[in-house]
Amino acid sequence: MELKYLGLNTLEYDEKKCTGCGMCEIVCPLRIFRINGKKAEITAKEKCIECGACSLNCAFGAITVDSGPGCAAAVLASGLKKGSKAACNC
Amino acid sequence: MKKTEQPCCGGKKEKEEVSCSCGGEQKEIKKYKTVYGARKIAIGAAFFTRVPAAPRVVEIIGDIVARFGFGRMRYAVEPGLYAVGSPDKNSVVLVSANYKMSFNALRKELKGVSAWILVLDTKGVNVWCAAGKGTFGTDELVNRIAKTSLAMITAHRNLIVPQLGAPGVAAHIVRKESKFKVTFGPVEAADIKQFLAGGMKASQEQRTVQFGAIKRLEVSLLEFGVTFRLLFLTAAAAVVAASFTKGGFSIASGFANSAFFLGAITIALISSTLAPALLLPYIPGKMFSVKGAITGAVFSAAYVAAARGMTPLTGVSLILISTAFASFVFMNFTGSTTFTSLTGVRREIAVSVPFQILLLAAGAALQIIDFVHKGGIKWN
């Protein structure tokens, strides 16, 4: 059974910058990208977990995502202690 | 967030960034865990450590203990170059983290294979989490290649990095700075042999992060361990408090008097960790707070229904508090899963926490009313 979350994320893709190298297709652990012809395309944006693998490995700056841990403990800790280090269990 | 500034425990941190630093300040690991059967071998100025592929029983037990979160942040092996089998200058180089569980998971898949393992200093954190923090990252990889004199040991310039290291390792930058070419391997170490034998190709399935029932149960043991420690103190305090009777101090009556409470705490522990993790796809709701609330409510209601001689107020109060507790605790399970995003988690917290506070407050209010009504707490 496929697990789904809220479908909220900051993934953005600029097709004009894409060279079709295929790195995003390789690194995405949710298999969101697919090379179609000479360009990558996003097949299921709602699945993005904002891990940042695609944008870090896109040598052409075609992908941006505000990456970070999808972890409530980390969010709560960083929200409660602004400016100090957040704690999480990952 | 800039690409070069992944949330990182020891490093740069932009304002308002959610950083994950594994239990507060990242402590320097002073003593690394022993790898049994390890032998250091020098080649010129460089050296590597030869290790057996199979971890010993005591090391497998170490993995299990770490699963529950005990000593997890110190469960690290020394970073550096390791050898499994009898690798030579043409053998493959596999990159791993220095969390001992990650290292063990990789080497036990290498029975009958000769390979180098380049272990990065991830401060004892697993590959995926460390990649998110940037400790399993481009800079550390480039530095570790230099520190281990890897270029003198191998004739080729190829590295196999686990796919889940990709959030921290920019392959094109590694190549520019070290001349080593990064190939991303499969998600799971269990697929590495097939990957090596099959011409460095991973199937779609091997490139997809899986989160089946066994995996969910494995990772929920951590939340279980953390919650257990929290509740254990509460339970111990309750037993001690209940041991002060009219006839003097008696631990036996302490247990007898708090039996209902101890049962309720056990139900709270299970219904906030193991149960919703295992039943994850079958519980309604997309938010973890909702799934946790449902499990907490159902479990505690069943417990209240099975118990006898309880006032309705106590029963309702217990259900409300258990629901709030399981909702909050299970919300933190988001960090252990493979399909949640930071943006989504922020939304979930904003929506859920007011409800959790409301449930807790209502439960506490009923408890106080009940207390006043009865003239004292009588759990039985």
Side-chain angles (χ1 to χ4, degrees):
Chain A
M1 193 183 290
E2 193 175 47
L3 292 159
K4 281 184 184 159
Y5 195 45
L6 308 178
L8 303 171
N9 59 69
T10 51
L11 178 66
E12 279 176 47
Y13 164 59
D14 182 355
E15 198 188 86
K16 288 194 288 295
K17 292 183 183 168
C18 178
T19 64
C21 77
M23 273 310 266
C24 53
E25 187 182 25
I26 291 171
V27 297
C28 176
L30 277 295
R31 316 310 293 152
I32 289 173
F33 291 93
R34 185 173 59 197
I35 299 295
N36 189 0
K38 290 192 168 155
K39 296 280 182 189
E41 61 178 20
I42 294 178
T43 60
K45 183 182 185 292
E46 72 283 356
K47 285 192 193 171
C48 175
I49 61 169
E50 301 177 323
C51 76
C54 55
S55 66
L56 187 71
N57 277 284
C58 179
F60 311 96
I63 306 166
T64 56
V65 61
D66 188 6
S67 67
C71 170
V75 174
L76 288 169
S78 57
L80 294 172
K81 307 185 281 181
K82 281 235 168 78
S84 66
K85 291 238 158 54
C88 91
N89 286 320
C90 79
Chain B
M1 193 175 74
K2 285 179 216 129
K3 273 187 281 181
T4 48
E5 296 185 56
Q6 295 286 316
C8 166
C9 298
K12 301 159 262 181
K13 183 170 180 274
E14 287 181 6
K15 227 181 152 190
E16 300 274 340
E17 182 179 278
V18 175
S19 157
C20 163
S21 61
C22 286
E25 293 287 328
Q26 187 90 42
K27 290 190 189 87
E28 255 335 288
I29 294 163
K30 293 191 184 81
K31 196 176 173 300
Y32 291 112
K33 299 292 172 204
T34 307
V35 179
Y36 289 88
R39 206 155 50 88
K40 284 203 174 176
I41 295 167
I43 351 170
F47 74 86
F48 63 87
T49 309
R50 172 165 286 147
V51 294
R56 292 202 185 157
V57 172
V58 60
E59 294 178 298
I60 293 163
I61 293 169
D63 282 1
I64 295 168
V65 171
R67 275 273 180 225
F68 286 91
F70 295 100
R72 192 171 59 105
M73 298 316 297
R74 298 183 301 278
Y75 196 54
V77 296
E78 192 176 2
L81 187 65
Y82 290 80
V84 173
S86 310
D88 59 20
K89 62 182 172 32
N90 297 317
S91 301
V92 291
V93 181
L94 307 168
V95 183
S96 188
N98 80 325
Y99 184 38
K100 195 173 177 189
M101 200 189 295
S102 308
F103 180 70
N104 286 345
L106 175 60
R107 67 182 169 123
K108 78 177 164 64
E109 298 300 331
L110 299 175
K111 271 169 219 145
V113 175
S114 286
W116 300 104
I117 303 178
L118 185 66
V119 172
L120 304 189
D121 186 1
T122 60
K123 318 287 177 199
V125 173
N126 70 70
V127 173
W128 205 11
C129 287
K133 297 165 200 292
T135 47
F136 188 101
T138 308
D139 292 351
E140 165 60 13
L141 178 53
V142 170
N143 287 339
R144 198 56 56 184
I145 290 168
K147 273 188 186 163
T148 53
S149 307
L150 186 63
M152 282 164 48
I153 290 169
T154 61
H156 63 82
R157 295 290 176 265
N158 296 302
L159 301 170
I160 298 169
V161 173
Q163 190 190 324
L164 294 186
V169 172
H172 58 287
I173 298 173
V174 173
R175 181 146 212 194
K176 208 160 67 186
E177 293 186 0
S178 73
K179 309 284 180 259
F180 274 83
K181 180 178 181 281
V182 167
T183 302
F184 287 108
V187 165
E188 295 288 338
D191 295 323
I192 195 73
K193 235 179 191 172
Q194 209 187 332
F195 180 79
L196 295 176
M200 310 281 182
K201 291 270 179 290
S203 68
Q204 282 296 321
E205 201 187 10
Q206 291 168 343
R207 290 218 172 278
T208 312
V209 67
Q210 311 283 351
F211 204 47
I214 291 171
K215 197 98 201 168
R216 293 199 300 275
L217 200 57
E218 268 177 9
V219 297
S220 74
L221 294 178
L222 173 64
E223 231 34 77
F224 179 84
V226 171
T227 311
F228 175 81
R229 271 169 280 182
L230 176 83
L231 292 178
F232 182 79
L233 290 176
T234 316
V239 172
V240 171
S243 299
F244 291 101
T245 63
K246 277 175 192 157
F249 187 83
S250 157
I251 284 282
S253 12
F255 272 105
N257 292 338
S258 57
F260 177 82
F261 183 65
L262 294 180
I265 276 193
T266 308
I267 292 291
L269 175 63
I270 305 289
S271 70
S272 63
T273 57
L274 304 182
L278 195 59
L279 302 171
L280 191 69
Y282 315 105
I283 307 169
K286 277 186 179 168
M287 291 193 194
F288 286 66
S289 56
V290 172
K291 289 174 185 281
I294 291 171
T295 321
V298 169
F299 274 59
S300 58
Y303 183 65
V304 166
R308 289 166 191 280
M310 183 192 333
T311 64
L313 273 182
T314 307
V316 174
S317 161
L318 182 74
I319 293 169
L320 289 173
I321 293 171
S322 301
T323 304
F325 180 82
S327 175
F328 183 78
V329 171
F330 196 58
M331 197 168 72
N332 290 321
F333 189 63
T334 48
S336 300
T337 66
T338 57
F339 62 101
T340 58
S341 65
L342 177 56
T343 306
V345 167
R346 281 197 173 119
R347 165 74 65 82
E348 168 160 352
I349 289 173
V351 172
S352 309
V353 170
F355 279 102
Q356 290 161 350
I357 293 172
L358 210 66
L359 283 171
L360 185 67
L366 288 185
Q367 199 57 247
I368 292 165
I369 294 166
D370 194 40
F371 182 82
V372 173
H373 193 241
K374 288 192 295 199
I377 293 178
K378 285 193 182 62
W379 284 104
N380 273 313

